Amino acid sequence: MSSAFLLINCKLGSDKEVINRLNEIPVVIQVYRVYGAYDIIVRVAAGTVEKLQQAFKSDLKRLDNILSTVTLVTKEI
């Protein structure tokens, strides 16, 4: 299982809408609204890194009102 965290900055006032849309995406495991340098942290998981990358390209990157993202791919230790 491959997983990652996405750190998201969204347009002012659009965080609720972005969170609702994120929760509709199958690879999304958890969504957190946070305060600080980022607005939202998302935990995603898929069977392979390739499936995770496909989800980033097809689902996550196409969401409206997202200004920037940082992706942190995780590895179990």
Side-chain angles (χ1 to χ4, degrees):
M1 178 73 64
S2 295
S3 63
F5 288 93
L6 285 103
L7 311 177
I8 298 174
N9 283 317
C10 55
K11 290 182 182 176
L12 186 63
S14 66
D15 54 333
K16 195 177 219 179
E17 176 191 337
V18 172
I19 288 169
N20 288 338
R21 298 276 315 277
L22 287 165
N23 280 316
E24 295 172 359
I25 299 172
V27 297
V28 171
I29 305 300
Q30 294 175 305
V31 178
Y32 303 94
R33 179 181 290 150
V34 295
Y35 300 97
Y38 298 97
D39 300 312
I40 302 168
I41 297 176
V42 181
R43 182 172 164 234
V44 296
T48 65
V49 172
E50 291 77 19
K51 287 182 182 178
L52 213 52
Q53 289 172 332
Q54 183 60 34
F56 292 152
K57 291 178 187 174
S58 65
D59 295 326
L60 298 166
K61 296 285 184 176
R62 293 184 182 182
L63 291 179
D64 292 334
N65 297 317
I66 292 180
L67 299 174
S68 65
T69 62
V70 174
T71 303
L72 307 170
V73 178
T74 62
K75 182 178 179 181
E76 284 191 44
I77 54 172

